[in-house]
């Protein structure tokens, strides 16, 4: 039997325990592999959420401003596109963060008298709790059903809760955090959770001057560095590890040939870090891969849509053509 409302208190506690076990397994798996890595989805604890808000305000982090411009100036076109396509739908958002940009669309749909349920899906429970509290105050009458957990699992849950057509938002260039060799599989998995006619709006960061890109992930104030190191702090706190943060340097790099911007934490010296029964050895200069932010061309985006079972419907760019929000329709 399906549990109808996964968000009840008991189920959230059970989910929290399962999430902690998964966190431990993923960390050990990543740090005992021949090339060490940590999964970027674990950046977002309550402190990570705050640091990401500060990254978005950094002058170098152009991505937010670009997508903000798109939503501020083109939200009516986006809303019209959606409303001309379907009149009865649920709005699902994958990784909403603070909804500063998607909020334009939430407000516009409400102003048009569209009756929809908003399902924010986020791995950060604190984000879901905040949105459940604040959105009904900001948009009186809006139905908000927060789904704390991983994108694909919770998209499945949203489908179980309601069989209405889905309009799914996946903004902020979060698709770029999926390694390019896995992006096709990820889009196919998204498509599998959706039905013909459903819409998916995805924000992609476009290829541009390499220095502009690198600077965005290497802000002068050091917030991105703190954001990366915060994951080590989280592992210390939640999994009882003994990372010495001062022994790791943050190193971002961008390769314009592949479009991959990658962040590493590099061990300053030979050391051992303990997590439960594991003693993880780091050689001096050994990198730990933290996050990828893949940049795309319009052609690559088009190919991704076609190969994963979507058809391009419309696209919205900022005035500098640095960022694009594409709307894909499930075929
Ligand atoms: C880069 S932020 C983007 C926030 C927002 N969409 C924006 O454009 O400002 C990524 C968001 O996705 C969430 N997130 C990251 N990985 C996730 C995953 N695997 N499943 C669910 N949420 C995830 C984070 O907690 C965070 O809120």
């Amino acid at each position: 039997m399906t549990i109808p409302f996964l968000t009840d208190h008991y189920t959230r506690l059970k989910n929290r325990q399962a999430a902690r076990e998964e966190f431990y397994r993923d960390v050990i798996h990543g740090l005992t592999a021949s090339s060490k890595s940590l999964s970027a989805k674990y950046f977002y604890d309550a402190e990570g959420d705050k640091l990401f808000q500060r990254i978005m305000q950094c002058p170098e982090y152009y991505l937010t401003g670009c997508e903000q411009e798109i939503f501020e100036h083109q939200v009516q076109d986006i809303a019209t596109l959606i409303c001309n396509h379907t009149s009865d739908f649920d709005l699902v958002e994958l990784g909403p963060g603070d909804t500063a940009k998607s909020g334009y669309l939430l407000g516009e749909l409400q102003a048009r008298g569209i009756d929809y349920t908003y399902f924010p899906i986020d791995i950060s429970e604190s984000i879901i709790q905040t949105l459940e509290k604040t959105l009904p105050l900001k948009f009186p009458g809006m139905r908000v059903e927060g789904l704390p957990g991983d994108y694909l699992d919770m998209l499945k849950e949203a489908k179980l809760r309601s069989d209405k057509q889905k309009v799914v938002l996946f903004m902020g260039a979060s698709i770029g955090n999926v390694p390019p060799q896995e992006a096709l599989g990820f889009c196919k998995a998204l498509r599998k959770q959706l039905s013909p006619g459903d819409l998916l709006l995805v924000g992609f960061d476009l290829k541009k001057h390499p220095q502009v890109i690198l600077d965005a992930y290497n802000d002068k104030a050091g917030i991105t560095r703190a954001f990366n190191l915060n994951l080590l702090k989280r592992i210390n706190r939640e999994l009882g590890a003994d990372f010495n943060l001062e022994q790791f340097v943050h190193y971002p790099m961008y390769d314009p040939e592949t479009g991959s911007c990658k962040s590493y934490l590099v061990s300053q010296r030979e050391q051992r870090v303990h997590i439960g029964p594991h003693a993880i050895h780091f050689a001096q200069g050994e990198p730990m891969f933290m996050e990828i932010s893949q940049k795309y061309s319009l052609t690559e985006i088009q190919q991704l849509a076609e190969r994963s079972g979507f058809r391009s419907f419309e696209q919205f760019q900022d005035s500098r053509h640095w960022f694009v929000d594409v709307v894909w329709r499930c075929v």
Side-chain angles (χ1 to χ4, degrees):
M1 195 183 92
T2 311
I3 302 168
F5 290 105
L6 263 177
T7 49
D8 69 75
H9 184 62
Y10 174 67
T11 314
R12 277 199 182 182
L13 280 179
K14 258 177 54 187
N15 285 351
R16 211 173 288 158
Q17 177 60 23
R20 166 96 31 130
E21 284 163 13
E22 191 183 344
F23 180 35
Y24 178 75
R25 271 198 310 275
D26 286 352
V27 167
I28 297 302
H29 179 75
L31 295 184
T32 52
S34 52
S35 297
K36 292 185 174 58
S37 67
L38 289 172
S39 169
K41 72 179 180 184
Y42 296 116
F43 279 145
Y44 299 91
D45 62 353
E47 182 60 22
D49 295 341
K50 282 191 207 136
L51 285 165
F52 187 71
Q53 295 303 314
R54 290 179 61 197
I55 288 175
M56 290 199 296
Q57 286 155 14
C58 288
E60 297 94 337
Y61 196 77
Y62 60 84
L63 291 83
T64 307
C66 292
E67 201 174 36
Q68 165 100 14
E69 184 199 313
I70 294 172
F71 271 74
E72 209 176 322
H73 298 301
Q74 302 181 65
V75 71
Q76 301 206 340
D77 296 338
I78 298 172
T80 300
L81 185 83
I82 294 171
C83 297
N84 284 346
H85 180 73
T86 168
S87 55
D88 194 21
F89 60 87
D90 298 315
L91 189 66
V92 181
E93 181 161 13
L94 308 178
D98 63 0
T99 69
K101 292 167 281 161
S102 54
Y104 287 98
L105 182 62
L106 303 185
E108 178 64 25
L109 293 172
Q110 207 182 35
R112 292 182 186 209
I114 309 290
D115 181 38
Y116 65 94
T117 302
Y118 175 59
F119 290 100
I121 291 175
D122 207 291
I123 194 121
S124 163
E125 212 177 313
S126 74
I127 283 188
I128 294 298
Q129 283 166 356
T130 305
L131 294 180
E132 282 177 337
K133 238 186 270 160
T134 56
L135 287 179
L137 299 174
K138 195 168 170 195
F139 303 107
M142 180 189 285
R143 285 188 304 280
V144 181
E145 287 191 31
L147 298 171
D150 206 80
Y151 299 135
L152 292 169
D153 298 338
M154 290 300 119
L155 188 53
K156 196 173 183 180
E157 172 65 18
K159 289 285 283 185
L160 286 175
R161 288 197 186 186
S162 147
D163 57 7
K164 285 189 184 180
Q165 272 208 295
K166 298 285 180 276
V167 175
V168 180
L169 308 177
F170 190 32
M171 297 169 54
S174 293
I175 183 88
N177 300 138
V178 180
Q181 64 279 13
E182 293 169 26
L184 180 61
F186 179 77
C187 290
K188 281 185 179 169
L190 275 182
R191 171 64 190 86
K192 222 171 141 191
Q193 297 301 338
L194 298 170
S195 307
D198 287 350
L199 295 182
L200 175 65
L201 180 149
V202 196
F204 286 90
D205 193 19
L206 294 170
K207 288 177 177 163
K208 60 185 71 61
H209 194 302
Q211 195 62 50
V212 173
I213 292 175
L214 186 56
D215 288 351
Y217 296 89
N218 199 19
D219 62 280
K220 288 203 179 74
I223 316 293
T224 312
R225 174 179 170 274
F227 182 62
N228 277 261
L229 287 170
N230 180 58
L231 179 47
L232 304 191
K233 251 198 224 169
R234 179 179 184 186
I235 295 171
N236 282 352
R237 189 182 59 248
E238 293 186 21
L239 305 180
D242 59 359
F243 273 107
N244 178 347
L245 273 56
E246 292 182 355
Q247 293 303 334
F248 290 89
V249 285
H250 174 229
Y251 181 76
M253 55 160 286
Y254 177 62
D255 178 357
E257 209 173 354
T258 59
S260 296
C261 190
K262 294 181 179 175
S263 315
Y264 297 89
L265 289 177
V266 181
S267 177
Q268 297 263 59
R269 62 171 168 89
E270 184 173 13
Q271 56 184 315
R272 271 181 208 285
V273 173
H274 302 91
I275 311 177
H278 301 271
I280 315 279
H281 174 261
F282 285 87
Q284 181 174 8
E286 186 173 355
M288 199 171 12
F289 170 64
M290 302 297 285
E291 185 178 43
I292 186 162
S293 303
Q294 182 68 24
K295 310 304 165 191
Y296 283 86
S297 69
L298 290 172
T299 309
E300 286 164 338
I301 295 169
Q302 174 74 20
Q303 284 170 353
L304 194 55
E306 283 165 9
R307 290 176 185 164
S308 53
F310 293 95
R311 184 148 307 147
S312 292
F313 203 35
E314 190 52 271
Q315 53 152 298
F316 302 90
Q317 291 190 30
D318 65 300
S319 52
R320 285 183 293 190
H321 307 288
W322 281 8
F323 198 97
V324 65
D325 280 299
V326 294
V327 182
W328 293 349
R329 187 167 53 82
C330 294
V331 286

